[in-house]
Amino acid sequence: MPEKAGKRRISLVYFDAGGGHRNAATALQLEIERQGLPFETSLMNLQEILDSLDVLRKLTGIRIQDMYNHMLRSGWTLGSTQLMRVLQLVVRLYHGPSVVALEKYWQANSPDLVVSLVPHFNRALCESFGKAFPGRPFATVLTDLADFPPHFWIERQQQYLVCGTDFAVEQAHACDHVNGRVYKTSGMILHPRFYEPDPPDPAAERVKLGLLPNLPTAIVLFGGYGSWAMLEILDRLDQSPLELQMIFICGRNEKLTKALREKKTRLRIHIEGFTTKIPYFMALSHFFIGKPGPGSISEALSKRLPVIIDRNAWTLPQERYNARWVQENEVGVVIGSHKEIVPAVNRLLQAGELQRFRGRAAAIHNRAIFEIPRIFEEILTHPSKAS
C-alpha cells in the first residue's frame, strides 16, 4: 500500500489472547485519527504472522490465543503460572524463526514506528524491526500495571517503554532503561467512549432498566466472556440481608446470560449479553465486582466506581500485582474468594464508606489514551533517543 504524503506510518501490534490487547490498539488508532496527527496507523495481528510457528496449533489444530481464551471462559486458570513458564520457554525456543518471519513482514510494510501492545514477544519484535530498518524506533506500551513475571513485557534492549504506573517505571529502570526512553502515563489505555459525558439523570436511567432509582447498584463484569462465578456472586448476595441491586454484563457467554435470566431472586437485577455500552452501565452503578484485570479496574475507576476483586491461586500471574495496587491506592476491596463477597459488599455499604471509596476513585485522573499519541509524536520527532 503506498504511503500517504507527509504521513509517518505506525504499526500497532496486538493479538487476541484476551480482549485487552486488540481493544488498546483499536482505541489508540481511533484517538490518533481524532487528534488529526500526521500518522497512518495500521493494526497487525501478531498471531497471524506467527501462525506457522504455533506449536499448539500444529499438535491440536487450536491456536494458542484460542486456547487461552477458552481457559478464561471456562475458569481453568489454576496453574496458570506454570503454564506461563512453559509459554515463555516456547517463545524462547522459537525466537530465531519468529525474528525471520517478522523481519519479512516489516520489510514488506515499512513502518516508521512499531508499537507493541503485547507481552512475551517484545524481544523478537524489537530485534526483527532493528534488522529490517536499523535506527527506526520500537516502543512497547504496557497494558498491564506491572511487568510480571520478568520478561513478560520488559526486555533489556534499545527501545521505548510506555508505563502506566510508577512501579512499572521502576521495573523499566531496573532493566537499564533510561529516562529518555521511558514514558510515564497517568494510567491504562481506555476507549475514548469512557470520556464521554454520563447520562444527566442516572436514577431515571436505572428505572428504565427495571431497577429502583436510588438503591446502591453493583455492576458485575468478568471480561468479554463473563464467568460462571457471577452465579455464585448472585446466590450469595441474594441469600444475604444486604439491600442492593445488580447489573450483570455477560459478554459473549450466551449460556451464562440465559442461566442468569432464569434465576429466581429477591434482588432486582438487569442482565446484558455482549455490549459496547459499558460506560453507560457503569455510570448507573455505584461500585464494581469483577476480576482483577487492568482494563476492568481502570474502566471502573474512570467512572468513580470502587472495585471488589479477588486474588487467589486462580488469578492470572500478570494480574496479581493489580490487587496490591488497588489496596495501596485504597480504591477497593480485595477478597480471597467469592465466599467473601457478602462481607466485602457490606463493608462498602457501611455509612460513609461508599462515598469515601468513590472519592478515592474520582481522584485518579487517567488520561493515557490522550497522552500516548503525543508520546508517539515525540518519539518520531526525536528518533535519535532510540539509538
PDB file of all heavy atoms in Angstrom, residues 30 82 84 86 110 115 119 131 133 144 159 162 164 178 193 198 228 242 260 284 293 295 299 310 378:
ATOM      1  N   LEU A  30      -8.113   4.991  16.938  1.00  0.00           N
ATOM      2  CA  LEU A  30      -9.212   5.956  16.904  1.00  0.00           C
ATOM      3  C   LEU A  30      -8.777   7.325  17.429  1.00  0.00           C
ATOM      4  O   LEU A  30      -9.122   8.364  16.855  1.00  0.00           O
ATOM      5  CB  LEU A  30     -10.378   5.434  17.744  1.00  0.00           C
ATOM      6  CG  LEU A  30     -11.180   4.267  17.167  1.00  0.00           C
ATOM      7  CD1 LEU A  30     -12.169   3.738  18.212  1.00  0.00           C
ATOM      8  CD2 LEU A  30     -11.924   4.683  15.906  1.00  0.00           C
ATOM      9  N   GLN A  82       2.555 -21.843  36.035  1.00  0.00           N
ATOM     10  CA  GLN A  82       3.365 -22.880  35.397  1.00  0.00           C
ATOM     11  C   GLN A  82       3.182 -22.852  33.881  1.00  0.00           C
ATOM     12  O   GLN A  82       4.148 -23.001  33.116  1.00  0.00           O
ATOM     13  CB  GLN A  82       2.991 -24.256  35.950  1.00  0.00           C
ATOM     14  CG  GLN A  82       3.432 -24.506  37.393  1.00  0.00           C
ATOM     15  CD  GLN A  82       2.622 -23.718  38.420  1.00  0.00           C
ATOM     16  OE1 GLN A  82       1.470 -23.381  38.180  1.00  0.00           O
ATOM     17  NE2 GLN A  82       3.238 -23.425  39.560  1.00  0.00           N
ATOM     18  N   MET A  84       2.476 -20.270  32.152  1.00  0.00           N
ATOM     19  CA  MET A  84       3.186 -19.086  31.671  1.00  0.00           C
ATOM     20  C   MET A  84       4.657 -19.398  31.443  1.00  0.00           C
ATOM     21  O   MET A  84       5.241 -18.993  30.437  1.00  0.00           O
ATOM     22  CB  MET A  84       3.051 -17.955  32.693  1.00  0.00           C
ATOM     23  CG  MET A  84       3.794 -16.689  32.313  1.00  0.00           C
ATOM     24  SD  MET A  84       2.867 -15.661  31.202  1.00  0.00           S
ATOM     25  CE  MET A  84       1.646 -14.988  32.307  1.00  0.00           C
ATOM     26  N   VAL A  86       5.964 -22.298  30.717  1.00  0.00           N
ATOM     27  CA  VAL A  86       6.063 -23.143  29.526  1.00  0.00           C
ATOM     28  C   VAL A  86       5.954 -22.293  28.271  1.00  0.00           C
ATOM     29  O   VAL A  86       6.731 -22.467  27.316  1.00  0.00           O
ATOM     30  CB  VAL A  86       4.960 -24.226  29.539  1.00  0.00           C
ATOM     31  CG1 VAL A  86       4.919 -24.981  28.207  1.00  0.00           C
ATOM     32  CG2 VAL A  86       5.193 -25.202  30.687  1.00  0.00           C
ATOM     33  N   SER A 110       7.128  -1.589   5.842  1.00  0.00           N
ATOM     34  CA  SER A 110       7.950  -0.395   6.073  1.00  0.00           C
ATOM     35  C   SER A 110       7.335   0.639   7.017  1.00  0.00           C
ATOM     36  O   SER A 110       7.147   1.796   6.651  1.00  0.00           O
ATOM     37  CB  SER A 110       8.262   0.277   4.722  1.00  0.00           C
ATOM     38  OG  SER A 110       9.222   1.297   4.903  1.00  0.00           O
ATOM     39  N   VAL A 115       4.824  -0.259  17.387  1.00  0.00           N
ATOM     40  CA  VAL A 115       4.359  -0.168  18.770  1.00  0.00           C
ATOM     41  C   VAL A 115       3.755  -1.506  19.166  1.00  0.00           C
ATOM     42  O   VAL A 115       2.768  -1.955  18.577  1.00  0.00           O
ATOM     43  CB  VAL A 115       3.310   0.944  18.943  1.00  0.00           C
ATOM     44  CG1 VAL A 115       2.800   0.974  20.382  1.00  0.00           C
ATOM     45  CG2 VAL A 115       3.893   2.293  18.545  1.00  0.00           C
ATOM     46  N   PRO A 119       2.572  -8.792  25.316  1.00  0.00           N
ATOM     47  CA  PRO A 119       3.703  -9.298  26.100  1.00  0.00           C
ATOM     48  C   PRO A 119       4.391 -10.448  25.381  1.00  0.00           C
ATOM     49  O   PRO A 119       4.006 -10.830  24.277  1.00  0.00           O
ATOM     50  CB  PRO A 119       3.025  -9.779  27.385  1.00  0.00           C
ATOM     51  CG  PRO A 119       1.682 -10.250  26.914  1.00  0.00           C
ATOM     52  CD  PRO A 119       1.289  -9.343  25.780  1.00  0.00           C
ATOM     53  N   LYS A 131      16.589  -5.219  12.543  1.00  0.00           N
ATOM     54  CA  LYS A 131      17.274  -5.817  11.389  1.00  0.00           C
ATOM     55  C   LYS A 131      16.700  -5.291  10.079  1.00  0.00           C
ATOM     56  O   LYS A 131      17.440  -5.048   9.116  1.00  0.00           O
ATOM     57  CB  LYS A 131      17.151  -7.336  11.439  1.00  0.00           C
ATOM     58  CG  LYS A 131      18.031  -8.000  12.482  1.00  0.00           C
ATOM     59  CD  LYS A 131      17.964  -9.522  12.381  1.00  0.00           C
ATOM     60  CE  LYS A 131      18.943 -10.170  13.335  1.00  0.00           C
ATOM     61  NZ  LYS A 131      18.944 -11.653  13.201  1.00  0.00           N
ATOM     62  N   PHE A 133      15.029  -2.379   9.605  1.00  0.00           N
ATOM     63  CA  PHE A 133      15.233  -0.935   9.449  1.00  0.00           C
ATOM     64  C   PHE A 133      16.048  -0.401  10.624  1.00  0.00           C
ATOM     65  O   PHE A 133      15.484   0.127  11.598  1.00  0.00           O
ATOM     66  CB  PHE A 133      13.882  -0.208   9.369  1.00  0.00           C
ATOM     67  CG  PHE A 133      13.054  -0.595   8.184  1.00  0.00           C
ATOM     68  CD1 PHE A 133      11.965  -1.441   8.337  1.00  0.00           C
ATOM     69  CD2 PHE A 133      13.380  -0.150   6.911  1.00  0.00           C
ATOM     70  CE1 PHE A 133      11.205  -1.822   7.251  1.00  0.00           C
ATOM     71  CE2 PHE A 133      12.620  -0.523   5.804  1.00  0.00           C
ATOM     72  CZ  PHE A 133      11.536  -1.364   5.972  1.00  0.00           C
ATOM     73  N   ASP A 144      -0.601  -3.774  31.096  1.00  0.00           N
ATOM     74  CA  ASP A 144      -0.725  -4.251  32.474  1.00  0.00           C
ATOM     75  C   ASP A 144      -0.109  -3.210  33.401  1.00  0.00           C
ATOM     76  O   ASP A 144       0.709  -2.382  32.971  1.00  0.00           O
ATOM     77  CB  ASP A 144      -0.018  -5.591  32.661  1.00  0.00           C
ATOM     78  CG  ASP A 144      -0.831  -6.756  32.123  1.00  0.00           C
ATOM     79  OD1 ASP A 144      -1.965  -6.944  32.596  1.00  0.00           O
ATOM     80  OD2 ASP A 144      -0.343  -7.474  31.228  1.00  0.00           O
ATOM     81  N   GLN A 159      14.991   0.427  23.193  1.00  0.00           N
ATOM     82  CA  GLN A 159      13.636   0.690  22.758  1.00  0.00           C
ATOM     83  C   GLN A 159      13.006   1.726  23.676  1.00  0.00           C
ATOM     84  O   GLN A 159      13.625   2.193  24.630  1.00  0.00           O
ATOM     85  CB  GLN A 159      12.814  -0.596  22.792  1.00  0.00           C
ATOM     86  CG  GLN A 159      12.585  -1.128  24.197  1.00  0.00           C
ATOM     87  CD  GLN A 159      11.343  -2.005  24.290  1.00  0.00           C
ATOM     88  OE1 GLN A 159      11.452  -3.206  24.441  1.00  0.00           O
ATOM     89  NE2 GLN A 159      10.158  -1.402  24.208  1.00  0.00           N
ATOM     90  N   VAL A 162       6.367   2.600  27.448  1.00  0.00           N
ATOM     91  CA  VAL A 162       5.302   3.465  27.942  1.00  0.00           C
ATOM     92  C   VAL A 162       4.609   2.728  29.077  1.00  0.00           C
ATOM     93  O   VAL A 162       4.011   1.668  28.868  1.00  0.00           O
ATOM     94  CB  VAL A 162       4.299   3.818  26.827  1.00  0.00           C
ATOM     95  CG1 VAL A 162       3.209   4.742  27.371  1.00  0.00           C
ATOM     96  CG2 VAL A 162       5.018   4.480  25.644  1.00  0.00           C
ATOM     97  N   GLY A 164       2.154   2.710  32.696  1.00  0.00           N
ATOM     98  CA  GLY A 164       1.009   3.376  33.297  1.00  0.00           C
ATOM     99  C   GLY A 164       1.059   3.506  34.801  1.00  0.00           C
ATOM    100  O   GLY A 164       0.139   4.084  35.395  1.00  0.00           O
ATOM    101  N   VAL A 178      16.668   3.988  30.428  1.00  0.00           N
ATOM    102  CA  VAL A 178      16.920   5.317  30.985  1.00  0.00           C
ATOM    103  C   VAL A 178      15.705   6.207  30.770  1.00  0.00           C
ATOM    104  O   VAL A 178      14.820   5.931  29.962  1.00  0.00           O
ATOM    105  CB  VAL A 178      18.171   5.954  30.352  1.00  0.00           C
ATOM    106  CG1 VAL A 178      19.405   5.131  30.674  1.00  0.00           C
ATOM    107  CG2 VAL A 178      18.007   6.093  28.836  1.00  0.00           C
ATOM    108  N   ARG A 193     -14.697   6.333  24.430  1.00  0.00           N
ATOM    109  CA  ARG A 193     -16.095   6.451  24.865  1.00  0.00           C
ATOM    110  C   ARG A 193     -16.217   6.563  26.394  1.00  0.00           C
ATOM    111  O   ARG A 193     -17.230   7.048  26.904  1.00  0.00           O
ATOM    112  CB  ARG A 193     -16.941   5.289  24.343  1.00  0.00           C
ATOM    113  CG  ARG A 193     -16.635   3.950  24.938  1.00  0.00           C
ATOM    114  CD  ARG A 193     -17.671   2.902  24.486  1.00  0.00           C
ATOM    115  NE  ARG A 193     -17.574   2.596  23.075  1.00  0.00           N
ATOM    116  CZ  ARG A 193     -16.937   1.531  22.565  1.00  0.00           C
ATOM    117  NH1 ARG A 193     -16.336   0.680  23.386  1.00  0.00           N
ATOM    118  NH2 ARG A 193     -16.900   1.307  21.281  1.00  0.00           N
ATOM    119  N   ASP A 198     -21.587  11.393  31.132  1.00  0.00           N
ATOM    120  CA  ASP A 198     -22.511  10.426  31.714  1.00  0.00           C
ATOM    121  C   ASP A 198     -23.947  10.868  31.468  1.00  0.00           C
ATOM    122  O   ASP A 198     -24.210  12.055  31.203  1.00  0.00           O
ATOM    123  CB  ASP A 198     -22.274  10.307  33.226  1.00  0.00           C
ATOM    124  CG  ASP A 198     -20.943   9.640  33.553  1.00  0.00           C
ATOM    125  OD1 ASP A 198     -20.386   8.972  32.660  1.00  0.00           O
ATOM    126  OD2 ASP A 198     -20.474   9.810  34.694  1.00  0.00           O
ATOM    127  N   TRP A 228     -18.736 -17.964  35.189  1.00  0.00           N
ATOM    128  CA  TRP A 228     -19.769 -18.655  35.939  1.00  0.00           C
ATOM    129  C   TRP A 228     -19.729 -18.278  37.411  1.00  0.00           C
ATOM    130  O   TRP A 228     -20.683 -18.549  38.156  1.00  0.00           O
ATOM    131  CB  TRP A 228     -19.642 -20.164  35.745  1.00  0.00           C
ATOM    132  CG  TRP A 228     -20.024 -20.564  34.347  1.00  0.00           C
ATOM    133  CD1 TRP A 228     -19.193 -20.795  33.307  1.00  0.00           C
ATOM    134  CD2 TRP A 228     -21.355 -20.718  33.830  1.00  0.00           C
ATOM    135  NE1 TRP A 228     -19.900 -21.095  32.167  1.00  0.00           N
ATOM    136  CE2 TRP A 228     -21.240 -21.066  32.462  1.00  0.00           C
ATOM    137  CE3 TRP A 228     -22.633 -20.620  34.389  1.00  0.00           C
ATOM    138  CZ2 TRP A 228     -22.345 -21.295  31.648  1.00  0.00           C
ATOM    139  CZ3 TRP A 228     -23.738 -20.846  33.585  1.00  0.00           C
ATOM    140  CH2 TRP A 228     -23.593 -21.184  32.231  1.00  0.00           C
ATOM    141  N   LEU A 242     -28.407  -7.918  52.684  1.00  0.00           N
ATOM    142  CA  LEU A 242     -27.986  -6.647  52.101  1.00  0.00           C
ATOM    143  C   LEU A 242     -29.012  -6.130  51.107  1.00  0.00           C
ATOM    144  O   LEU A 242     -29.602  -6.887  50.330  1.00  0.00           O
ATOM    145  CB  LEU A 242     -26.630  -6.806  51.406  1.00  0.00           C
ATOM    146  CG  LEU A 242     -25.448  -7.155  52.311  1.00  0.00           C
ATOM    147  CD1 LEU A 242     -24.198  -7.411  51.480  1.00  0.00           C
ATOM    148  CD2 LEU A 242     -25.197  -6.042  53.322  1.00  0.00           C
ATOM    149  N   LEU A 260     -28.552 -16.724  34.061  1.00  0.00           N
ATOM    150  CA  LEU A 260     -28.840 -15.615  34.966  1.00  0.00           C
ATOM    151  C   LEU A 260     -30.278 -15.123  34.789  1.00  0.00           C
ATOM    152  O   LEU A 260     -30.961 -14.788  35.767  1.00  0.00           O
ATOM    153  CB  LEU A 260     -27.855 -14.475  34.736  1.00  0.00           C
ATOM    154  CG  LEU A 260     -26.463 -14.653  35.369  1.00  0.00           C
ATOM    155  CD1 LEU A 260     -25.474 -13.653  34.803  1.00  0.00           C
ATOM    156  CD2 LEU A 260     -26.537 -14.506  36.892  1.00  0.00           C
ATOM    157  N   LEU A 284     -24.387   4.122  35.708  1.00  0.00           N
ATOM    158  CA  LEU A 284     -25.591   3.888  36.502  1.00  0.00           C
ATOM    159  C   LEU A 284     -25.296   3.124  37.787  1.00  0.00           C
ATOM    160  O   LEU A 284     -26.213   2.866  38.579  1.00  0.00           O
ATOM    161  CB  LEU A 284     -26.622   3.093  35.687  1.00  0.00           C
ATOM    162  CG  LEU A 284     -26.991   3.632  34.305  1.00  0.00           C
ATOM    163  CD1 LEU A 284     -28.164   2.852  33.728  1.00  0.00           C
ATOM    164  CD2 LEU A 284     -27.308   5.118  34.354  1.00  0.00           C
ATOM    165  N   GLY A 293      -8.484  -7.637  36.287  1.00  0.00           N
ATOM    166  CA  GLY A 293      -7.838  -7.243  35.043  1.00  0.00           C
ATOM    167  C   GLY A 293      -7.551  -5.750  35.019  1.00  0.00           C
ATOM    168  O   GLY A 293      -8.338  -4.957  35.547  1.00  0.00           O
ATOM    169  N   GLY A 295      -7.727  -3.626  32.590  1.00  0.00           N
ATOM    170  CA  GLY A 295      -8.724  -2.875  31.849  1.00  0.00           C
ATOM    171  C   GLY A 295      -9.985  -2.661  32.650  1.00  0.00           C
ATOM    172  O   GLY A 295     -10.513  -1.534  32.741  1.00  0.00           O
ATOM    173  N   GLU A 299     -11.377   0.918  33.837  1.00  0.00           N
ATOM    174  CA  GLU A 299     -12.689   1.373  33.368  1.00  0.00           C
ATOM    175  C   GLU A 299     -13.570   1.757  34.551  1.00  0.00           C
ATOM    176  O   GLU A 299     -14.221   2.805  34.536  1.00  0.00           O
ATOM    177  CB  GLU A 299     -13.345   0.273  32.540  1.00  0.00           C
ATOM    178  CG  GLU A 299     -12.689   0.050  31.187  1.00  0.00           C
ATOM    179  CD  GLU A 299     -13.208  -1.181  30.472  1.00  0.00           C
ATOM    180  OE1 GLU A 299     -14.072  -1.890  31.029  1.00  0.00           O
ATOM    181  OE2 GLU A 299     -12.751  -1.444  29.348  1.00  0.00           O
ATOM    182  N   ASP A 310     -10.901 -10.268  43.273  1.00  0.00           N
ATOM    183  CA  ASP A 310     -10.321 -11.377  44.021  1.00  0.00           C
ATOM    184  C   ASP A 310      -8.877 -11.611  43.614  1.00  0.00           C
ATOM    185  O   ASP A 310      -8.458 -11.259  42.507  1.00  0.00           O
ATOM    186  CB  ASP A 310     -11.148 -12.655  43.833  1.00  0.00           C
ATOM    187  CG  ASP A 310     -11.247 -13.074  42.376  1.00  0.00           C
ATOM    188  OD1 ASP A 310     -11.260 -12.193  41.501  1.00  0.00           O
ATOM    189  OD2 ASP A 310     -11.289 -14.277  42.097  1.00  0.00           O
ATOM    190  N   GLU A 378       6.421  12.597  19.762  1.00  0.00           N
ATOM    191  CA  GLU A 378       7.745  12.978  20.270  1.00  0.00           C
ATOM    192  C   GLU A 378       8.809  11.962  19.850  1.00  0.00           C
ATOM    193  O   GLU A 378       9.924  12.331  19.467  1.00  0.00           O
ATOM    194  CB  GLU A 378       7.707  13.098  21.788  1.00  0.00           C
ATOM    195  CG  GLU A 378       9.049  13.522  22.383  1.00  0.00           C
ATOM    196  CD  GLU A 378       8.973  13.779  23.871  1.00  0.00           C
ATOM    197  OE1 GLU A 378       7.884  14.140  24.364  1.00  0.00           O
ATOM    198  OE2 GLU A 378      10.011  13.619  24.542  1.00  0.00           O
TER     199      GLU A 378
END
